[in-house]
Amino acid sequence: MRWLVVLGSPLLFYLSGLNTGLVLWGVVIGTALVNFYVHFYMLSQPISRNWSHLLSVLDTLFVSTMLFLRGQHQTDLHQLYYFLILVLGIRYGVKKYFGLVFVISIIYLAVSLTGAAFYRTGIDKVQLATQLIYFIAFGILASFILQREYEQQQEKEELIKELQAAYRQLSAYNAQVEEMAIKDPLTELYNYRYFVGRLREEIQWAQKYNKPLSLILLDIDYFKQFNDTYGHPAGDAALKKAAKIFQENIRDRDIVARYGGEEFFVLLPDTSVDEAYLCAERIRKAIEKTDIKVEEKKATAKITVSAGVAALSTGTRTVKDLLQVVDQALYQAKKLGRNKTQIYRPEGF
């Protein structure tokens, strides 16, 4: 809008055919160039209230200069003040609108009277008063329109904030529901359902790219006796402690899941059976060294785990195959006396 004024005013001078002289044309063109320079310089600077004030002063001077230079034909350009009212009203907001209309009306009156005195032309008081009334009426009408637009914008912004807040709450709720669907509530490890899905995906990936894939099945030894001796709260504490140790001894890409009761799976992508054995041994030794606090008895207790290790091979190419052989490896470890780690041996041991 402001550029319509800046570019349109010199054009009106040209179309009017008024012989303004080179000096006055220089003032017109010079004022437009200054306006251009300041505006584009501002685009490269941080927006601040001082720049807004400068632009407002510049716009007011520009419009007033155009009106003054028209001399006895000032009435041809008084419409520029309507643009000035709108531009400054938008820039400073509705709350200051009536004050801006009053100031602009005074400026228009001063420029009109000064121009009439400078060019020694008479002034039509009725026309001047009428124009001032039009300015004020236009300002009041525009203020109501802008106020309504402002209120609607505020309502939209409030609605957007509410929708964004509702979306964040819904996203958080969905994340909680999703986590509850795939996590074990006691140990906060992945549950068996999620584990089977990931195992299927990893088997497909390993077979497609010819990569190794290993699986560990861990079982807490004599866990029923532990619960009978120390109580189920102590058993829950042991499960939580074991789950924490499992997570501390694996890589970020590995998956730990609770199978059920006191059994746990560790899925090791891109890992050979020998590397998986070392991981299982690291976990087993860490569990063996850990003390379990029994709050009710004010004592500490020990637990151990047995581990079976198996890997994807020619004979184990499906989820069912891998689960069967790792279970057999765990059985072999328990048969060796528990607190052992055993790699699956198809021909026995």
Side-chain angles (χ1 to χ4, degrees):
M1 184 180 294
R2 66 186 304 272
W3 284 112
L4 181 61
V5 177
V6 172
L7 298 176
S9 297
L11 181 61
L12 288 175
F13 263 70
Y14 174 77
L15 294 177
S16 66
L18 183 65
N19 184 16
T20 55
L22 293 178
V23 175
L24 295 183
W25 264 111
V27 173
V28 173
I29 297 174
T31 307
L33 291 176
V34 170
N35 205 314
F36 270 105
Y37 174 77
V38 172
H39 178 80
F40 286 108
Y41 176 75
M42 283 182 56
L43 292 179
S44 63
Q45 304 297 319
I47 298 175
S48 67
R49 185 175 296 273
N50 292 333
W51 284 115
S52 296
H53 292 337
L54 177 60
L55 263 186
S56 299
V57 171
L58 191 62
D59 291 340
T60 304
L61 288 175
F62 185 77
V63 171
S64 299
T65 302
M66 294 298 102
L67 186 66
F68 180 80
L69 293 179
R70 288 293 289 160
Q72 65 271 31
H73 300 279
Q74 286 183 352
T75 55
D76 296 346
L77 292 181
H78 62 251
Q79 291 88 352
L80 293 177
Y81 279 87
Y82 291 116
F83 289 99
L84 189 61
I85 290 173
L86 287 176
V87 170
L88 298 188
I90 293 172
R91 186 175 297 156
Y92 288 100
V94 177
K95 293 182 179 179
K96 299 180 180 180
Y97 206 76
F98 291 108
L100 290 172
V101 172
F102 176 76
V103 172
I104 292 173
S105 299
I106 296 299
I107 292 174
Y108 172 78
L109 177 61
V111 173
S112 298
L113 294 176
T114 303
F118 181 82
Y119 292 105
R120 298 179 181 180
T121 59
I123 187 167
D124 190 336
K125 297 180 180 179
V126 175
Q127 187 179 24
L128 183 61
T130 301
Q131 193 60 53
L132 290 173
I133 292 173
Y134 283 164
F135 284 152
I136 295 173
F138 176 80
I140 293 174
L141 179 61
S143 68
F144 282 114
I145 295 174
L146 291 178
Q147 177 66 34
R148 183 55 186 157
E149 290 293 328
Y150 175 77
E151 291 175 353
Q152 289 179 346
Q153 184 64 29
Q154 290 293 105
E155 292 173 359
K156 290 179 182 178
E157 290 178 359
E158 290 297 326
L159 179 60
I160 290 173
K161 289 180 181 179
E162 292 177 3
L163 290 175
Q164 289 175 339
Y167 176 77
R168 287 193 293 268
Q169 292 178 353
L170 181 61
S171 298
Y173 175 76
N174 288 338
Q176 291 176 355
V177 171
E178 183 178 354
E179 185 171 346
M180 290 173 61
I182 65 175
K183 290 291 186 72
D184 173 62
L186 178 63
T187 62
E188 297 184 355
L189 298 176
Y190 291 112
N191 57 28
Y192 180 69
R193 178 182 176 184
Y194 176 82
F195 163 75
V196 171
R198 284 298 303 270
L199 177 59
R200 184 175 293 107
E201 293 174 0
E202 293 296 340
I203 288 176
Q204 293 174 351
W205 185 88
Q207 291 173 342
K208 181 177 180 180
Y209 295 100
N210 194 27
K211 296 289 184 179
L213 176 68
S214 297
L215 183 63
I216 302 172
L217 177 57
L218 298 145
D219 181 81
I220 299 178
D221 299 323
Y222 303 109
F223 189 67
K224 184 178 183 305
Q225 295 180 15
F226 185 93
N227 276 334
D228 293 341
T229 303
Y230 298 105
H232 287 283
D236 290 345
L239 290 172
K240 291 180 181 180
K241 190 68 175 180
K244 182 178 179 181
I245 293 174
F246 296 157
Q247 291 177 310
E248 291 173 346
N249 287 275
I250 62 171
R251 303 166 301 183
D252 292 338
R253 64 177 300 188
D254 299 333
I255 302 296
V256 184
R258 187 181 180 188
Y259 183 21
E262 67 274 19
E263 291 186 317
F264 301 86
F265 282 113
V266 181
L267 178 60
L268 304 167
D270 200 15
T271 304
S272 68
V273 68
D274 293 330
E275 292 172 328
Y277 175 84
L278 295 177
C279 177
E281 273 292 281
R282 187 166 60 249
I283 292 173
R284 184 190 66 79
K285 292 177 181 179
I287 293 287
E288 188 179 29
K289 296 176 182 178
T290 300
D291 293 326
I292 307 298
K293 291 184 179 180
V294 183
E295 299 292 343
E296 294 182 357
K297 297 181 179 295
K298 296 181 179 180
T300 58
K302 291 280 190 179
I303 59 171
T304 59
V305 294
S306 298
V309 181
L312 200 64
S313 64
T314 305
T316 56
R317 301 190 60 81
T318 66
V319 171
K320 183 178 179 181
D321 294 339
L322 195 53
L323 292 179
Q324 285 180 346
V325 296
V326 78
D327 186 65
Q328 292 178 26
L330 176 62
Y331 175 77
Q332 293 168 2
K334 287 183 174 292
K335 202 171 180 181
L336 287 173
R338 290 180 168 79
N339 194 23
K340 303 288 184 182
T341 299
Q342 180 62 38
I343 298 176
Y344 171 67
R345 305 295 181 188
E347 302 299 331
F349 56 95

